[in-house]
Amino acid sequence: MDISSNNQKEFVLFGASGDLAKEKLYPALFDVFQPTDTIRYIGYARTVIRNDAFKKIVRDSVLKKYPEADAKKLDIFIDRFEYCSGTYDAHGIEQLKRNSSTVDRYYYLALPSSYTLLKDIVDGLSVHGLNKKSIIVLEKPFGSDKLSAKRLNELLLKHFSEDQIYRIDHYLAKDLVQDMLAMRFANPIFWPIWNNTYIESITISIKESEGIRDRGQYYDQAGAIKDMIQNHAMQLLAFTVMDQPKSLSASAIHKEKIRIFENIQLFNNDTLHTLAIGQYEGYRNEQHIPADSMTETYASMTVEIDVPEWRGVPIRIVSGKKLDEKTTDIIITFKKTNSNLWEKEGCQIERNQIRINVQPHNDIHLRLNSEFNSTQKCALPINLHFGFKDNKHLLKDPYENALRDLFNNDQSIFIGSQEILLAWKFIDTVLETLNISRAKNLEIYDHLHLPRTEQL
Ligand SMILES: NC(=O)c1ccc[n+]([C@@H]2O[C@H](COP(=O)([O-])OP(=O)(O)OC[C@H]3O[C@@H](n4cnc5c(N)ncnc54)[C@H](OP(=O)(O)O)[C@@H]3O)[C@@H](O)[C@H]2O)c1
């Protein structure tokens, strides 16, 4: 869908009164806004808000993130906003028909996940012909299993073509994840050794120190595997191991990710032992959580990708809440050197390791055995470190990256429908295998007594 014509652009934000809009989207829209752009913004939600009050909400939200925002740019930006109150269905959406024949539209759904709500909106847009010359942007979750994801895809594809649908996974929009493409494919010191000949294991880990906050109603239905692993962790995994794409086009990148998802080994009783689940102490006392809830707030599993270059490499995926730290890491551990030069001297050589900290440090560590100790006759490890923290101006908020790509019609970091179905196919087997013995496997932990697999 080429929305880059000279037509006037409008960005319609469904859920304009919500948290995501205020915390992330208004500041991100401001960041990517150029006063020379002619784009206009329509905030849409059920809550009745006067236009001037709405503009103040947007201004406050921008200033909260950018207290030093350029006043002139901010005035021009705010002037482009208007608010429209209505229901999320054909009746309410009829108001958006105004000007619609002369504008290209982005419809961003910053709304709680609900099939019925989404159906009412896409049907409503379609009834009024607003699905033409438009792009629809969606937040996860994209279904709750393969069947519901398929139903969701069918609904969307009934009214929009695949290149009109942008599914956001903000983890993929994080700078370090995108930088991995450059690191892996622009450096001949890395790409020839990025395979099972040299790599021993990979760990993808998304750990949070917070609990579920006020998301109990949603979270208890989902759990760590659906909430974090099915989407963020699996997308990070695909970016880490996918083969070099033929080009940097979205379709070439998606093709390589799909090859990984197609070949991820499905879970069964033989691989059940690689799976660990836990629930943090006190979870059952959280708001909206049943006293006998068996939902996992922690999960760890080891997977393998059945392609020639990765066969035999264990890939550990971990995600959990209320752990001892908040960190997202991709750790690549290389095999031991096959030279016995050092062993002869009684020196144990450490494995090379690359640790990409996606958040909060935004840095890369490379462990190299590069210090020669002449007394011990040993090569000692040194940690090379490149930190974006020291170059903060280089770092962008993921939503800013995502919106910039959206306005450039670039779907590379957005998720395609086939990827979603394949990721669910895998996760469905994990959950089916696990559910037989969920009660037996669920370990209660707290930050002093972490799940056993975290203590190794
Ligand atoms: N908040 C974040 O930082 C964040 C981060 C990443 C992803 N997300 C995702 O972004 C989406 C929106 O999140 P959010 O935190 O902004 O949600 P939210 O604040 O709970 O809801 C957004 C807006 O949706 C409307 N709404 C709420 N419940 C509704 C219902 N049952 N039926 C119809 N409309 C309803 C409300 O507007 P009106 O009542 O005025 O219509 C509300 O202001 C979710 O899918 C979430 O998973 C959020």
Side-chain angles (χ1 to χ4, degrees):
M1 161 76 196
D2 190 3
I3 201 167
S4 63
S5 62
N6 293 327
N7 276 357
Q8 171 69 38
K9 311 277 186 300
E10 275 181 2
F11 184 95
V12 179
L13 181 57
F14 289 110
S17 56
D19 266 7
L20 179 68
K22 289 182 217 158
E23 293 300 319
K24 304 279 182 197
L25 295 174
Y26 299 135
L29 284 168
F30 174 72
D31 185 71
V32 301
F33 173 72
Q34 301 288 337
T36 48
D37 296 344
T38 55
I39 190 163
R40 299 196 64 83
Y41 309 92
I42 301 173
Y44 188 105
R46 295 171 307 182
T47 308
V48 176
I49 310 175
R50 284 196 335 266
N51 238 329
D52 52 347
F54 176 61
K55 285 180 187 238
K56 180 162 183 330
I57 290 173
V58 179
R59 184 182 288 275
D60 289 349
S61 143
V62 173
L63 287 172
K64 189 173 160 201
K65 167 112 197 252
Y66 295 115
E68 318 261 296
D70 180 291
K72 200 164 160 213
K73 177 181 164 187
L74 184 56
D75 283 347
I76 300 172
F77 176 71
I78 299 293
D79 196 46
R80 301 284 175 82
F81 275 81
E82 64 182 289
Y83 185 75
C84 184
S85 164
T87 47
Y88 301 113
D89 57 13
H91 175 70
I93 285 170
E94 191 171 10
Q95 303 171 76
L96 296 172
K97 274 175 81 175
R98 173 178 52 99
N99 298 334
S100 63
S101 59
T102 56
V103 294
D104 290 345
R105 288 242 178 91
Y106 300 91
Y107 295 104
Y108 195 118
L109 274 58
L111 293 166
S113 158
S114 146
Y115 178 84
T116 321
L117 186 57
L118 179 66
K119 184 170 182 334
D120 285 348
I121 292 179
V122 294
D123 284 348
L125 289 170
S126 187
V127 163
H128 299 297
L130 300 177
N131 52 339
K132 315 246 164 59
K133 293 201 301 147
S134 67
I135 277 174
I136 185 161
V137 189
L138 304 156
E139 288 279 343
K140 68 141 199 172
F142 311 118
S144 55
D145 55 19
K146 187 173 170 205
L147 206 65
S148 58
K150 187 164 171 278
R151 187 164 159 243
L152 201 67
N153 278 345
E154 283 166 359
L155 168 68
L156 289 165
L157 290 167
K158 189 173 148 201
H159 301 293
F160 296 89
S161 58
E162 184 74 30
D163 61 357
Q164 286 179 281
I165 307 167
Y166 282 60
R167 301 173 188 84
I168 285 204
D169 185 326
H170 65 278
Y171 269 70
L172 289 191
K174 289 182 188 284
D175 279 329
L176 265 265
V177 177
Q178 299 193 36
D179 290 343
M180 196 150 62
L181 280 185
M183 192 179 95
R184 289 193 51 202
F185 302 123
N187 297 294
I189 60 165
F190 288 131
W191 56 257
I193 56 167
W194 212 265
N195 52 51
N196 52 8
T197 307
Y198 297 100
I199 289 178
E200 184 173 83
S201 65
I202 295 176
T203 299
I204 311 279
S205 112
I206 307 180
K207 298 181 186 175
E208 295 169 289
S209 47
E210 278 193 326
I212 54 167
R213 291 181 289 154
D214 56 354
R215 295 170 70 221
Q217 230 153 8
Y218 155 76
Y219 194 89
D220 201 58
Q221 302 299 314
I225 296 175
K226 288 185 179 183
D227 184 47
M228 297 301 279
I229 293 183
Q230 188 275 341
N231 36 66
H232 305 318
M234 288 195 64
Q235 287 293 329
L236 293 182
L237 163 70
F239 255 69
T240 307
V241 300
M242 72 180 191
D243 205 355
Q244 176 160 311
K246 293 269 175 301
S247 73
L248 291 174
S249 70
S251 63
I253 291 174
H254 287 181
K255 191 167 163 224
E256 293 307 332
K257 281 162 61 188
I258 285 169
R259 176 172 171 267
I260 296 301
F261 288 144
E262 275 173 344
N263 289 291
I264 190 162
Q265 285 200 328
L266 301 180
F267 255 79
N268 57 39
N269 285 333
D270 296 338
T271 44
L272 178 63
H273 66 278
T274 73
L275 195 58
I277 52 167
Q279 186 185 80
Y280 66 76
E281 179 74 51
Y283 172 76
R284 292 173 190 176
N285 300 328
E286 301 271 26
Q287 210 185 357
H288 302 302
I289 303 300
D292 57 354
S293 170
M294 298 300 287
T295 299
E296 80 287 353
T297 59
Y298 168 88
S300 149
M301 63 186 78
T302 303
V303 304
E304 207 176 306
I305 314 293
D306 194 14
V307 292
E309 69 274 26
W310 290 113
R311 212 162 279 141
V313 178
I315 304 177
R316 182 162 178 258
I317 304 176
V318 189
S319 182
K321 294 196 177 293
K322 282 256 173 130
L323 294 174
D324 51 343
E325 54 181 346
K326 176 178 166 60
T327 177
T328 300
D329 284 306
I330 300 169
I331 303 166
I332 297 120
T333 305
F334 289 81
K335 291 184 176 171
K336 277 180 80 169
T337 169
N338 58 9
S339 152
N340 63 3
L341 176 68
W342 305 98
E343 273 81 355
K344 274 195 247 164
E345 302 292 338
C347 159
Q348 287 300 319
I349 295 291
E350 293 219 18
R351 287 164 172 76
N352 292 135
Q353 194 173 70
I354 300 177
R355 179 186 285 259
I356 300 168
N357 180 263
V358 177
Q359 63 179 17
H361 303 300
N362 308 289
D363 59 8
I364 300 174
H365 289 262
L366 171 59
R367 188 165 72 204
L368 281 182
N369 296 303
S370 56
E371 184 190 339
F372 180 60
N373 183 308
S374 54
T375 323
Q376 295 173 22
K377 292 267 187 289
C378 197
L380 302 179
I382 283 195
N383 214 2
L384 291 186
H385 171 239
F386 174 72
F388 278 93
K389 225 175 182 176
D390 314 326
N391 298 291
K392 236 182 173 162
H393 64 283
L394 292 177
L395 272 178
K396 285 280 163 209
D397 181 274
Y399 275 95
E400 290 163 11
N401 286 334
L403 287 174
R404 190 167 288 109
D405 282 4
L406 169 70
F407 293 139
N408 286 330
N409 300 326
D410 182 354
Q411 284 183 306
S412 317
I413 59 160
F414 295 82
I415 305 179
S417 56
Q418 211 185 334
E419 287 167 58
I420 289 174
L421 295 184
L422 289 166
W424 275 122
K425 181 179 170 188
F426 167 71
I427 291 295
D428 281 359
T429 68
V430 173
L431 290 167
E432 278 158 22
T433 313
L434 176 68
N435 283 343
I436 304 163
S437 53
R438 179 174 278 274
K440 199 175 92 198
N441 285 323
L442 194 76
E443 197 185 340
I444 304 296
Y445 66 92
D446 61 36
H447 63 279
L448 290 176
H449 307 90
L450 293 177
R452 256 168 296 135
T453 42
E454 287 307 294
Q455 298 168 23
L456 300 177

